[in-house]
Amino acid sequence: MSVDAVDLEDGLRQIEADGADLCHGRLLMMRTSGLILAQRCREQGPSTPSGPAIEGADGLIVGSPVYKGSYSGLFKHVIDFLAPEALAGKPVAIAATGGGARHALMVEHQLRPLFGFFTAHVAPTAVYAGEAEIQDGVVTDPGVAARVVAAATELAHLLDTAEAARRARTQPPTAAAL
């Protein structure tokens, strides 16, 4: 099963339909099952995941299929090339797919600590789906679908906060703000 099956993009589209603007920066979706890095907004279309593209993104949607209780080796290989300081404070949503419920904690015990090491800002809601929750690449379980929307909403808030912090660092305060 591929992590492509749990696609936070659906959740992002839903919150954009509700009026959220997620196109103020680059949001990259890393899907290591096929080594695809999808870029939203400024640059559309898939590309090869490279360190500079990942490090330069305003936010990340990261997922991996569960392999022997952890993320895949291909995922780890890509992560090993990233500069830890480049991910500091970066908004990240995490997701995984696996064979069943026994792998559900992988997102909390493997992915969340990994991005904690990088001091990234990880969305509180993680998404995991097993084979029973996905049919033909579509999330069919209402609980998983709700988690997708929750994670996408949280990521949108993290992106807004990161953008406001970036602006505050780069723009001098106005007299009204003092």
Side-chain angles (χ1 to χ4, degrees):
M1 176 183 296
S2 164
V3 76
D4 298 50
V6 178
D7 194 345
L8 290 182
E9 188 74 17
D10 290 338
L12 292 171
R13 277 192 292 274
Q14 182 174 340
I15 61 175
E16 282 178 324
D18 292 339
D21 177 16
L22 298 178
C23 289
H24 61 263
R26 289 188 316 141
L27 180 63
L28 302 183
M29 185 176 305
M30 223 175 112
R31 299 171 172 169
T32 58
S33 59
L35 266 186
I36 295 172
L37 188 68
Q39 304 182 33
R40 299 185 84 248
C41 304
R42 288 188 197 155
E43 301 171 21
Q44 295 293 326
S47 64
T48 302
S50 67
I54 295 168
E55 293 169 353
D58 295 314
L60 300 171
I61 299 172
V62 179
S64 175
V66 177
Y67 180 72
K68 296 191 178 189
S70 189
Y71 37 78
S72 71
L74 190 54
F75 176 84
K76 176 70 165 89
H77 182 72
V78 171
I79 295 297
D80 282 343
F81 285 101
L82 302 178
E85 63 276 4
L87 297 184
K90 188 173 301 292
V92 176
I94 54 176
T97 58
R102 64 192 170 110
H103 292 127
L105 288 177
M106 187 282 266
V107 289
E108 298 299 336
H109 291 269
Q110 302 294 323
L111 286 175
R112 191 173 301 279
L114 175 67
F115 286 94
F117 166 79
F118 287 105
T119 64
H121 292 169
V122 181
T125 302
V127 178
Y128 173 82
E131 290 177 348
E133 291 88 23
I134 300 171
Q135 299 297 320
D136 299 321
V138 177
V139 174
T140 56
D141 182 86
V144 174
R147 293 184 70 75
V148 167
V149 172
T153 302
E154 292 162 4
L155 182 61
H157 291 302
L158 289 171
L159 286 164
D160 289 343
T161 302
E163 177 65 14
R166 185 197 61 73
R167 280 195 313 269
R169 285 190 308 270
T170 60
Q171 296 174 354
T174 63
L178 299 174

